[in-house]
Amino acid sequence: MIWVPDKAPIDRQSCTCSCFDTVFRGRYENPGPVSYKHLYFNATKETFKIWVFTVIFILMCYESVKYLYKLFRCGNVRKSMFVLYLANIYPHYYAWWSFLNYFNEGMYQFHANQYYFTITEIIASVVVLNLCNAANNIASWKMLLIITINSMHIMVSAANQFIVHVIHGRGQRFQNARNIALMIPDILHVLIPIFLLYRYARQNKLGMTDLFYKEELLICFIAVTFGTLVGNLL
């Protein structure tokens, strides 16, 4: 395996799983040592939570793709926002995978932190998806919302793991790859909206600060500061 090349392959003929309750197998199998399977799952509330989260993520993916498909058919896609949509695929996949593992292993130490990232990522993605439609105006508050949320992500991620693992070189290969893959979308979600705002300001011979109310900028600063503190405490 690429991620863990030092692990030896298992013997599928001799391995067993005595923790499998076999409920979903019905009368075909009973608890105890059972034969190898690619997927085991027990009939527990944690399995139900995994199923619910999986269905929710699949539905969100389906609805977003359906929405984009209609935009592409009409030739009405804003390419810069579509790039951000694509960039966020891995973070959303990672969120689903993290929740699956937290529920599966009963490990809730980072549960609140993951909720923080996932909920804010979904909010930003909803705004990005809205702006993928070229018919929707690039409102300053929408751009500021995207910039604010992802600025919080950058600050929290940097403080949590990125600096230690990547910058200081203390992370393992898979940790560095994960941290970089999660950081790049956040950076893009800050840089691309700023570039679009800058281009709009130049085209209309305005200063960047002319695009916003002072109250909006103040709220963004407070939100980034407060969100970073909360994210580091979770």
Side-chain angles (χ1 to χ4, degrees), residues 56-89:
I56 290 173
F57 273 84
I58 290 174
L59 287 175
M60 289 192 297
C61 178
Y62 168 77
E63 290 296 331
S64 65
V65 171
K66 184 174 72 172
Y67 177 74
L68 288 170
Y69 174 73
K70 292 179 180 178
L71 294 181
F72 272 105
R73 286 194 63 184
C74 299
N76 211 24
V77 177
R78 183 176 281 117
K79 294 180 180 179
S80 56
M81 290 294 113
F82 180 64
V83 169
L84 293 185
Y85 172 85
L86 293 177
N88 244 2
I89 290 177

Side-chain angles (χ1 to χ4, degrees), residues 18 63 79-80 88 106 117 141-142 198 226 230 233:
S18 59
E63 290 296 331
K79 294 180 180 179
S80 56
N88 244 2
F117 274 99
W141 70 267
K142 294 179 182 178
Y198 171 75
F226 180 74
V230 171
L233 290 174

Side-chain angles (χ1 to χ4, degrees), residues 2-5 90 94 102 107 110 157-158 160-184:
I2 296 175
W3 297 114
V4 281
Y90 177 74
Y94 180 79
Y102 293 153
M107 184 179 66
F110 304 108
S157 297
N160 282 351
Q161 295 181 334
F162 191 85
I163 292 177
V164 174
H165 286 172
V166 180
I167 305 300
H168 293 168
R170 298 179 185 175
Q172 298 182 42
R173 185 181 303 175
F174 78 93
Q175 291 175 320
N176 293 336
R178 176 200 62 197
N179 291 331
I180 292 172
L182 291 173
M183 182 64 78
I184 289 175

Side-chain angles (χ1 to χ4, degrees), residues 138-149:
I138 300 180
S140 60
W141 70 267
K142 294 179 182 178
M143 304 299 269
L144 284 176
L145 182 58
I146 296 172
I147 293 170
T148 299
I149 288 175

Side-chain angles (χ1 to χ4, degrees), residues 172-230:
Q172 298 182 42
R173 185 181 303 175
F174 78 93
Q175 291 175 320
N176 293 336
R178 176 200 62 197
N179 291 331
I180 292 172
L182 291 173
M183 182 64 78
I184 289 175
D186 287 330
I187 294 174
L188 289 176
H189 276 70
V190 173
L191 294 181
I192 290 180
I194 289 176
F195 171 75
L196 292 176
L197 290 170
Y198 171 75
R199 187 175 64 179
Y200 177 83
R202 284 197 62 182
Q203 289 174 348
N204 292 273
K205 297 181 180 180
L206 298 170
M208 285 288 287
T209 55
D210 296 330
L211 301 177
F212 316 103
Y213 293 108
K214 292 181 180 179
E215 292 79 4
E216 288 180 321
L217 296 175
L218 179 61
I219 290 173
C220 288
F221 175 77
I222 294 173
V224 171
T225 303
F226 180 74
T228 301
L229 291 174
V230 171

